[in-house]
């Protein structure tokens, strides 16, 4: 029952520790789980997600059923620096964390050596000065299959703010979020966030970084993702790389961002694509959808982007999806990148990775 928080700053949890919001009951009572099976069910065993978080022990899983879940105070849920998994068993279409325009949705602060995870939620309706949808501070959570939509920050990080943090976003979408200053979708300061196989679109920042904003030793890796139709009032509609930051881009599609797809510093590592218009990637004046119907363009990997407008990693004039589909190159790990273009160890020196 320490106030305003249990711990401030970076810390490492050792064996036998307990971070509990209350001192009630016997020592350690509030760090246990429900029936000892490591799975806490909401609403079956706990009325709210926060009640389950408060009761969860190390590496417990909280299973949340479909519904719209709201909260009180500054956040809908506070991960409390715990190493736990919170899983929406019915997925983001039916399981919603709603800040109701009054509070932040998710707070992950402290426990930088731990890796909590949040899976399968819509995170929406957040309002805060910074990090309206999600605020990560000195923490390294993973968000998987989450829809971070329609959140508003009066300053930075409409969808997400990562400060001194390295969160992971896998198969997520950040859409229709807004920031009064920087980072409509994602703002990061001093950390190494990872965004992989995700979509960042239709976000707005009144200053810089409509989709993504990086500043002050922020070095995010953005991989196999799509950043499109974002708007910045000043620079970097898609992405802004500010002071001492260097976003690293791997096979990222940029299109339709205003003003400019990218501004500032960044590392163009591999296979990135930059188009002014998302709907006419080859610039022939005909919508891609019509070119696909007419057979002028193909989409062998069924990703919605014409093959002719995708990467050609070996620069032989044949786009990567066509090389893979026609057996001209292999893709053993099924990541959409020809194996010949990836760095693989050949420990026995037989010429095979």
């Amino acid at each position: 029952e320490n106030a305003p928080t249990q711990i401030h700053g970076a810390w490492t949890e050792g064996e036998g520790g307990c971070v509990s919001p209350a001192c009630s009951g016997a020592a350690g009572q509030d760090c246990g789980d429900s029936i000892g099976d490591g799975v806490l069910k909401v609403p079956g065993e706990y009325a709210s997600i926060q009640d389950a978080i408060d009761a969860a022990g190390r590496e417990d899983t909280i299973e949340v059923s479909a519904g719209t879940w709201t909260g009180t105070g500054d956040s809908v849920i506070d991960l409390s620096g715990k190493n736990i998994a919170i899983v929406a068993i019915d997925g983001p279409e039916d399981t919603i964390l709603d800040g109701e325009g009054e509070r932040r949705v998710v707070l992950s602060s402290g426990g930088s050596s731990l890796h909590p995870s949040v899976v399968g939620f819509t995170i929406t309706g957040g309002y805060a000065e910074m990090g309206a949808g999600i605020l990560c501070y000195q923490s390294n959570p993973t968000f998987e299959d989450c829809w971070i939509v329609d959140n508003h920050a009066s300053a930075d990080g409409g969808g997400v703010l990562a400060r001194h943090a390295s969160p992971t976003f896998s198969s997520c979408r950040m859409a229709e979020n807004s920031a009064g200053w920087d980072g409509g979708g994602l703002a990061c300061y001093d950390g190494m966030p990872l965004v992989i196989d995700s979509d960042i679109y239709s976000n707005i920042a009144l200053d810089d970084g409509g989709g993504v904003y990086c500043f002050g030793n922020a070095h995010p890796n953005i991989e196999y993702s799509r950043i499109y139709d974002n708007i910045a009032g000043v620079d970097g509609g898609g992405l802004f790389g500010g002071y001492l930051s260097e976003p690293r881009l791997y096979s990222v599609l940029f299109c339709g961002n205003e003003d400019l797809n990218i501004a500032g510093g960044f590392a163009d590592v591999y296979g990135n694509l930059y188009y002014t218009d998302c709907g006419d990637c080859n610039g022939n004046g005909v919508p891609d959808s019509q070119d696909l119907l007419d057979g002028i363009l193909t989409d062998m990997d069924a990703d919605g982007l014409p093959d002719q407008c995708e990467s050609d990693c070996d620069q032989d004039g044949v786009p990567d999806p066509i090389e893979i589909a026609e057996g001209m190159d292999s893709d053993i790990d099924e990541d959409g990148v020809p194996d010949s273009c990836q760095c693989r160890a050949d420990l026995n020196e037989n010429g095979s990775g």
Side-chain angles (χ1 to χ4, degrees):
E1 296 181 353
N2 299 294
T5 60
Q6 301 285 3
I7 301 173
H8 178 75
W11 57 282
T12 301
E13 181 183 30
E15 292 296 325
C18 171
V19 179
S20 172
C23 297
S24 60
Q29 175 177 320
D30 290 312
C31 287
D33 57 25
S34 54
I35 60 174
D37 61 352
V39 179
L40 292 74
K41 299 181 183 297
V42 179
E45 297 172 341
Y46 294 88
S48 73
I49 301 172
Q50 191 62 52
D51 287 344
I53 292 172
D54 294 343
R58 187 182 298 112
E59 297 184 359
D60 280 354
T61 296
I62 298 171
E63 293 185 348
V64 181
S65 295
T68 297
W69 301 91
T70 59
T72 59
D74 293 334
S75 304
V76 176
I77 63 171
D78 180 348
L79 302 185
S80 303
K82 291 188 173 183
N83 195 18
I84 57 177
I86 306 175
V87 180
I89 58 177
D90 296 299
E93 299 95 334
D94 299 313
T95 318
I96 300 165
L97 302 178
D98 188 356
E100 303 177 286
E102 298 180 0
R103 59 186 56 85
R104 175 180 296 112
V105 183
V106 180
L107 173 63
S108 176
S109 178
S112 58
S113 64
L114 306 179
H115 299 279
S117 60
V118 177
V119 182
F121 289 88
T122 289
I123 296 170
T124 191
Y127 178 81
E129 180 181 5
M130 295 187 175
I134 300 169
L135 174 61
C136 301
Y137 178 71
Q138 294 183 336
S139 63
N140 303 309
T142 293
F143 295 86
E144 182 179 347
D145 191 26
C146 286
W147 299 353
I148 306 158
V149 299
D150 194 19
N151 302 282
H152 175 69
S154 59
D156 301 336
V160 180
L161 176 70
R163 184 181 292 275
H164 312 301
S166 299
T168 294
F169 298 91
S170 177
S171 300
C172 290
R173 64 179 67 169
M174 302 178 194
E176 300 178 357
N177 303 288
S178 62
W181 287 99
D182 302 314
L186 166 65
C188 46
Y189 303 84
D190 188 21
M192 296 182 64
L194 171 62
V195 177
I196 185 167
D197 189 26
S198 294
D199 292 273
I200 301 174
Y201 63 95
S202 299
N203 301 287
I204 298 174
L206 297 187
D207 195 31
D208 297 327
V212 179
Y213 176 84
C214 307
F215 195 86
N217 289 310
H219 301 281
N221 286 340
I222 305 177
E223 306 176 5
Y224 309 107
S225 296
R226 297 144 297 276
I227 300 177
Y228 58 96
D229 291 341
N230 301 285
I231 298 174
V234 180
D235 282 324
L239 180 147
F240 182 87
Y243 177 68
L244 294 179
S245 69
E246 187 182 52
R248 296 175 58 82
L249 308 177
Y250 303 77
S251 292
V252 180
L253 167 67
F254 289 86
C255 66
N257 298 291
E258 304 176 12
D259 184 30
L260 302 177
N261 277 317
I262 301 179
F266 68 101
D268 190 345
V269 179
Y270 167 82
N272 301 295
L273 302 169
Y274 311 94
Y275 301 123
T276 301
D277 185 348
C278 292
D280 182 18
C281 69
N282 60 359
N284 68 348
V286 178
D288 294 338
S289 57
Q290 189 62 49
D291 278 342
L292 289 169
L293 287 173
D294 294 341
I296 295 172
L297 300 176
T298 59
D299 185 18
M300 292 185 173
D301 53 357
D303 64 353
L305 184 67
D307 301 325
Q308 291 77 6
C309 300
E310 297 198 62
S311 298
D312 178 14
C313 67
D314 54 9
Q315 298 182 349
D316 64 352
V318 181
D320 297 341
I322 295 177
E323 287 195 342
I324 293 170
E326 295 186 352
M328 300 167 64
D329 206 331
S330 59
D331 182 22
I332 294 175
D333 55 358
E334 298 182 347
D335 64 353
V337 181
D339 297 329
S340 64
C341 296
Q342 295 181 308
C343 180
R344 302 179 180 277
D346 183 13
L347 299 180
N348 59 7
E349 299 182 347
N350 67 352
S352 177

